[in-house]
């Protein structure tokens, strides 16, 4: 158990640095909007939706209905459906942990779990659970720290969103170094850049994911590529 936890902590360290600061920023944003510490912490525990939690602050402040917010959350996080499918069978084999693994699958956790799945074999389920739990804990911990600092210290959140970008770059580089086949990474980068140019930063994500998934499925079904050991 000790070695499993140590491994999970090591693998999740990049997420720790991103989530702590983003959790702090979220809590302070909630505080500035007039919401109590309990609401900030509770939302990080049961919603755990990253960027959507930041959007939620503005929506709640403007009087948007909870039903509308729920639908928007579903749409914004619908990208999880695309990459989450690749882990459904693995999560089902984890028994009682299955519902939590589905709930806790964020973009960053997915990226880390991919590298675990590729290298750890039979021990992967244990590692995956602890990594997901630690990532969730980091976000909640950041929120708790933010609620404490929110009233006590002045804090300028300008530019804090770059923490997420830096986190993704770190995870991307780690995955690039740990795998020999870079077809998925190159496909995703090209697709993302293309749609970013065509559609802009507010609308490019879902089309880019759809295109990348379709291309990877076609490549996977190509026998000549599959024979080289490619796995999408």
């Amino acid at each position: 158990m000790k070695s499993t936890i140590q491994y999970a902590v090591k693998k999740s360290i990049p997420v720790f640095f991103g989530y702590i600061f983003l959790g702090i920023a979220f809590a302070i944003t909630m505080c500035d909007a007039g919401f109590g510490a309990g609401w900030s912490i509770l939302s990080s525990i049961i919603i755990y939706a990253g960027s959507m939690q930041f959007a939620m602050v503005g929506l709640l402040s403007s009087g948007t209905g909870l039903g509308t917010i729920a639908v928007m959350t579903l749409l914004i996080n619908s990208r999880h459906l695309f990459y989450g499918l690749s882990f459904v069978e693995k999560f089902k084999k984890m028994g009682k942990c299955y519902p939590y693994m589905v709930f806790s699958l964020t973009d960053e956790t997915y990226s880390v779990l991919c590298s675990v799945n590729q290298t750890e074999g039979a021990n992967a389920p244990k590692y995956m659970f602890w990594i997901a739990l630690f990532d969730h804990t980091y976000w909640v911990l950041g929120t708790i720290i933010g609620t404490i600092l929110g009233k006590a210290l002045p804090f300028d959140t300008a530019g804090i969103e770059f923490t997420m970008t830096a986190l993704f770059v770190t995870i991307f580089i780690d995955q690039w170094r740990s795998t020999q086949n870079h077809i998925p990474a190159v496909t995703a980068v090209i697709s993302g850049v293309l749609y970013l140019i065509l559609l802009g930063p507010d609308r490019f994500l879902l089309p880019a994911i759809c295109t990348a998934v379709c291309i990877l499925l076609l490549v996977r079904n190509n026998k000549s590529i599959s024979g080289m050991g490619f796995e999408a």
Side-chain angles (χ1 to χ4, degrees), residues 28 65 89 112 208:
I28 292 176
E89 294 302 322
V112 177

Side-chain angles (χ1 to χ4, degrees), residues 180-206:
Q180 295 181 347
N181 193 311
H182 301 311
I183 293 178
V186 172
T187 302
V189 169
I190 294 176
S191 178
V193 172
L194 175 63
Y195 281 99
L196 177 62
I197 295 173
L198 294 176
L199 303 178
D202 296 328
R203 295 180 294 176
F204 85 100
L205 187 57
L206 285 179

Side-chain angles (χ1 to χ4, degrees), residues 44-95:
S44 287
I45 293 174
I46 65 175
I47 299 176
Y48 189 38
S51 59
M52 184 57 210
Q53 286 183 229
F54 285 92
M56 178 188 69
V57 178
L59 293 172
L60 289 174
S61 299
S62 64
T64 305
L66 294 179
T68 301
I69 295 176
V71 172
M72 291 185 65
T73 302
L74 177 63
L75 293 175
I76 291 176
N77 287 338
S78 61
R79 65 186 184 279
H80 295 177
L81 296 174
F82 293 94
Y83 56 68
L85 290 174
S86 63
F87 275 104
V88 169
E89 294 302 322
K90 299 178 182 65
F91 288 168
K92 284 183 178 180
K93 295 178 181 179
M94 296 174 69

Side-chain angles (χ1 to χ4, degrees), residues 95-106:
K96 295 180 180 180
C97 296
Y98 172 56
Y100 179 75
M101 294 303 296
V102 173
F103 161 75
S104 62
L105 188 64
T106 62

